[in-house]
Amino acid sequence: MEHIGVRETVQFMGLTFNWETLCMTWLAMAIVIVISCLAVKSLKVIPQGWQNFIEIVVVWLQGQLDNMMGKRGSMFAPFIVSLFLFLLTCNLLGLIPTLASPTNDLNTTLGLALLVVCMVHFFGLYFKGGHYIAHFFQPFPPFVVINMIEEIAKPITLAFRLFGNILAGEILIIVLLHLLPIWMPIPSVLWLGFSIFISCVHAVIFTMLSMAYLGNAVKE
Amino acid sequence: MIELNATLIAQVLNFLILVVILRALAYKPVANMLQQRADKIKETIDKANADKKAAEDTLAQYKSQLADAQKRAQEIVDKAEITARQEREALVAETKKEIDRMKQNAQLEIQNERDRAFDQMKAEIVSLSLAAAEKIVAKNLTSKENDKLVNDFISGLDKNMFENAK
């Protein structure tokens, strides 16, 4: 219990890295890539096995993208699909004993959130130019302050929501295992089940919010 | 617990690498396959619609042909009926004419026979009269009385004969 929140760090080229987070991230990446490989190994017109799963994700996200962004949505589809699969795998990874979620580290969630926000502003400027800057001063110029706070709040809320939920889930799993005697496993099992649900929900929320932010910026 | 360091940058790079790999490895083939499936479904539906339309056209064509054939059959039947009636009427008229002709012939023949019989009878009467006259002459009547007797006999016969014959 004492190791919760204490991170094993490594130094590389004068920079500090959280070693466990990196390892777990690579593991999650490997799992996503392996599942994708299994899915596309023998693509058939009539889907089978993992192809079903990947197709459901791709079709669902493409539909959402079309709704939120219109024609430009397809451009972001690979990014959004990867984001969802990566977050889902990361969140679920922590539920396996001895493994940890990469998303229980604020560095991961904030990194992704900042990436999304940077993309929002970059593509907003790219597609809309001056209009994009002008919309911060809508409906009256003094609103720029509120709009700025909103823009700053976006990555912070996005990052902390995911980080907090996943970290809390993992902490509670450890706490329940330590608190309750071994003959009363029901609360642990219930919490594990709930954590699976939370993991999926937060992968969806992060992805949907990213899409919504991107949609606002690039929709025609 | 909340401590930011270079891991943040590493995670962003990790994720970008994952995006690139997944895009090449999984997204493109899956998207292509989905597009291919959508095309195939669209093609199948289009083909089914075209087939349905063709079937409907053929059905309509058959129906019109059937109606046409029925109409023509009716026309043929009507025509045949008209022809038969005309032929029957012509036959009846012909027969009537024939009957009339035969009737006329018969009448003519009867008339001829009657005339001939009358002529024959007249000749016989004359010869009978002559015989009678010879008998009277044989009884030595006067020539005057003889002529009167013969003439009276003949004229009397003539009158009765014609009245009976007519």
Side-chain angles (χ1 to χ4, degrees):
Chain A
M1 197 171 166
E2 62 280 357
H3 61 264
I4 294 175
V6 179
R7 309 228 177 247
E8 187 191 342
T9 56
V10 290
Q11 301 289 325
F12 182 72
M13 289 170 66
L15 297 168
T16 312
F17 293 97
N18 294 342
W19 184 240
E20 192 190 32
T21 306
L22 285 182
C23 288
M24 288 301 144
T25 306
W26 292 328
L27 181 61
M29 285 166 70
I31 291 170
V32 171
I33 290 169
V34 166
I35 288 176
S36 303
C37 283
L38 284 175
V40 301
K41 187 177 65 183
S42 56
L43 277 179
K44 292 189 190 80
V45 176
I46 298 160
Q48 266 182 334
W50 282 107
Q51 194 187 336
N52 279 314
F53 171 71
I54 295 289
E55 268 186 24
I56 289 167
V57 172
V58 169
V59 169
W60 166 59
L61 289 173
Q62 272 182 343
Q64 297 290 335
L65 282 167
D66 282 347
N67 284 340
M68 287 186 186
M69 297 188 207
K71 280 181 197 166
R72 289 169 187 160
S74 58
M75 196 178 124
F76 296 100
F79 176 79
I80 294 295
V81 171
S82 306
L83 185 66
F84 177 71
L85 289 175
F86 179 65
L87 286 176
L88 188 66
T89 316
C90 286
N91 293 349
L92 290 172
L93 210 58
L95 303 180
I96 300 167
T98 72
L99 299 184
S101 291
T103 40
N104 76 5
D105 188 342
L106 188 62
N107 288 301
T108 311
T109 58
L110 193 62
L112 292 175
L114 285 174
L115 177 65
V116 169
V117 171
C118 288
M119 279 176 70
V120 167
H121 293 309
F122 174 80
F123 286 106
L125 278 173
Y126 177 77
F127 283 122
K128 293 185 175 168
H131 290 292
Y132 185 71
I133 296 178
H135 101 275
F136 289 118
F137 297 91
Q138 301 274 333
F140 309 109
F143 269 72
V144 70
V145 181
I146 295 170
N147 283 330
M148 278 302 138
I149 293 170
E150 195 195 334
E151 290 305 320
I152 293 163
K154 270 181 189 176
I156 295 172
T157 54
L158 207 55
F160 275 89
R161 185 186 301 113
L162 181 60
F163 162 69
N165 272 286
I166 300 305
L167 186 67
E170 286 187 12
I171 289 173
L172 208 58
I173 285 173
I174 297 165
V175 168
L176 280 175
L177 283 175
H178 281 81
L179 270 183
L180 297 170
I182 197 73
W183 49 265
M184 208 170 79
I186 294 167
S188 297
V189 171
L190 285 180
W191 180 249
L192 205 61
F194 187 61
S195 293
I196 293 172
F197 173 68
I198 291 293
S199 299
C200 298
V201 164
H202 280 279
V204 173
I205 290 175
F206 195 102
T207 314
M208 296 302 270
L209 283 174
S210 304
M211 267 196 272
Y213 295 157
L214 277 168
N216 277 341
V218 305
K219 197 170 185 182
E220 288 149 31
Chain B
M1 192 185 283
I2 298 173
E3 174 192 347
L4 295 175
N5 53 28
T7 317
L8 191 145
I9 295 153
Q11 291 296 72
V12 171
L13 289 177
N14 277 338
F15 179 66
L16 288 176
I17 291 165
L18 182 72
V19 171
V20 171
I21 291 172
L22 278 189
R23 185 186 145 86
L25 197 77
Y27 181 76
K28 274 189 175 173
V30 170
N32 284 343
M33 218 282 308
L34 289 173
Q35 187 58 47
Q36 201 182 321
R37 184 183 304 158
D39 290 348
K40 197 175 174 188
I41 290 170
K42 191 177 174 298
E43 191 186 306
T44 311
I45 290 173
D46 286 351
K47 195 172 173 297
N49 281 340
D51 285 355
K52 194 179 160 211
K53 201 176 169 299
E56 276 170 359
D57 286 353
T58 313
L59 185 68
Q61 203 184 329
Y62 282 168
K63 273 185 181 166
S64 85
Q65 277 179 0
L66 195 66
D68 200 30
Q70 273 176 346
K71 212 173 110 189
R72 274 169 60 185
Q74 191 60 46
E75 274 173 13
I76 290 168
V77 168
D78 288 350
K79 222 157 115 184
E81 273 177 3
I82 289 166
T83 314
R85 202 166 56 226
Q86 280 173 348
E87 275 179 7
R88 202 177 60 219
E89 279 166 4
L91 210 67
V92 167
E94 181 80 11
T95 312
K96 266 186 186 162
K97 239 161 77 185
E98 181 77 22
I99 289 168
D100 283 349
R101 202 164 50 79
M102 277 163 79
K103 233 177 174 170
Q104 268 177 0
N105 283 349
Q107 271 177 354
L108 220 64
E109 216 165 305
I110 290 165
Q111 187 71 38
N112 287 344
E113 285 292 319
R114 207 178 56 189
D115 287 354
R116 209 166 56 215
F118 184 69
D119 287 348
Q120 222 172 353
M121 216 156 63
K122 216 172 163 181
E124 268 180 42
I125 287 164
V126 169
S127 63
L128 268 173
S129 305
L130 282 175
E134 270 174 27
K135 276 179 185 172
I136 291 164
V137 171
K139 280 181 180 178
N140 290 319
L141 285 177
T142 60
S143 161
K144 204 178 171 184
E145 275 176 325
N146 198 11
D147 284 349
K148 193 179 173 281
L149 206 63
V150 170
N151 282 335
D152 284 353
F153 183 75
I154 289 171
S155 62
L157 270 178
D158 258 355
K159 235 180 232 171
N160 289 333
M161 288 295 285
F162 281 113
E163 269 165 14
N164 285 337
K166 274 185 184 166

